[in-house]
Amino acid sequence: MSHSLLIAFVMFATVMFFTPGPNNIMLLSSGLTYGFRPTIPHIMGITVGFAFMVGAVGLGLGTIFIAYPVLQTILKYAGVAYLVYLAWAIAMSEPPSADQDSRGRPMTFWGAAMFQWVNAKGWVMVIGTITAYAAIAAYPWNIAIQVSLSLILGVLSCTTWALFGTALRPVLTSRRAVRAFNIVMAVLLLASLYPVFMDA
């Protein structure tokens, strides 16, 4: 095992996991709007979904995208369309009340897990993880290490962002304030699409 490369990977992954991106912006908004406990399935969906993607691509699924690059293009624009929809949903969301119907709910485990496959930042992280840090250890132990660290850092970063949103609940007490905050989050989510179009 290359300890220096392992340390470099941990630094890379920590920066990528904790910096703002679609997942973290959505968790921040969900923590504020719904609270921490209802956001737990969203947290676990991101964590497990991303780690699974690292494992799947590392174990050979990535060769399919090399052989059929059109699939990457399809995923990219499907991701853009879904992020625009999520931005609209976030902008329209309000804290649930006793007389509110079930339309406004935090993202489910499976919704968050499947979202990783159309998340542009997620793909940047996966490609960087699999290609730049493949020499951490011999195959397939390198993939096992990368998946394990992705699970650990994923839980830590997702929990941090959701708790940050939850901590804002006593500050943003009015529905108008929550709506304004969520609109700002929606705009930031749309802004995260900028790198996607720059690579187009």
Side-chain angles (χ1 to χ4, degrees):
M1 180 186 296
S2 171
H3 291 90
S4 59
L5 199 58
L6 177 62
I7 292 171
F9 171 65
V10 170
M11 292 175 62
F12 162 80
T14 299
V15 169
M16 294 300 287
F17 271 109
F18 279 88
T19 51
N23 282 325
N24 293 337
I25 291 170
M26 288 189 293
L27 286 169
L28 181 65
S29 177
S30 183
L32 170 68
T33 305
Y34 305 108
F36 180 75
R37 182 171 293 182
T39 305
I40 290 176
H42 191 170
I43 292 171
M44 297 312 298
I46 291 172
T47 303
V48 174
F50 179 78
F52 177 81
M53 191 163 71
V54 170
V57 174
L59 292 174
L61 187 61
T63 57
I64 296 176
F65 294 104
I66 294 173
Y68 303 98
V70 68
L71 292 177
Q72 283 185 303
T73 303
I74 292 171
L75 277 176
K76 178 164 65 172
Y77 287 105
V80 167
Y82 190 52
L83 276 174
V84 170
Y85 163 74
L86 288 174
W88 176 83
I90 288 173
M92 295 296 104
S93 63
E94 296 181 0
S97 59
D99 58 347
Q100 188 176 6
D101 62 27
S102 61
R103 286 178 297 175
R105 291 180 175 176
M107 187 175 280
T108 64
F109 173 89
W110 289 110
M114 295 305 295
F115 170 69
Q116 304 316 302
W117 292 90
V118 294
N119 179 6
K121 183 182 178 183
W123 277 105
V124 169
M125 292 172 65
V126 168
I127 292 169
T129 295
I130 298 303
T131 58
Y133 301 99
I136 288 176
Y139 180 87
W141 298 111
N142 57 342
I143 306 301
I145 291 170
Q146 290 167 340
V147 169
S148 299
L149 286 172
S150 295
L151 286 169
I152 294 168
L153 290 171
V155 167
L156 291 175
S157 65
C158 290
T159 300
T160 299
W161 279 89
L163 285 173
F164 181 38
T166 304
L168 291 174
R169 300 190 90 189
V171 179
L172 302 175
T173 54
S174 71
R175 301 182 78 83
R176 181 175 295 180
V178 172
R179 170 63 68 84
F181 179 86
N182 282 336
I183 289 173
V184 172
M185 292 300 101
V187 171
L188 290 176
L189 190 59
L190 291 175
S192 71
L193 293 173
Y194 176 74
V196 177
F197 290 109
M198 287 300 293
D199 292 337

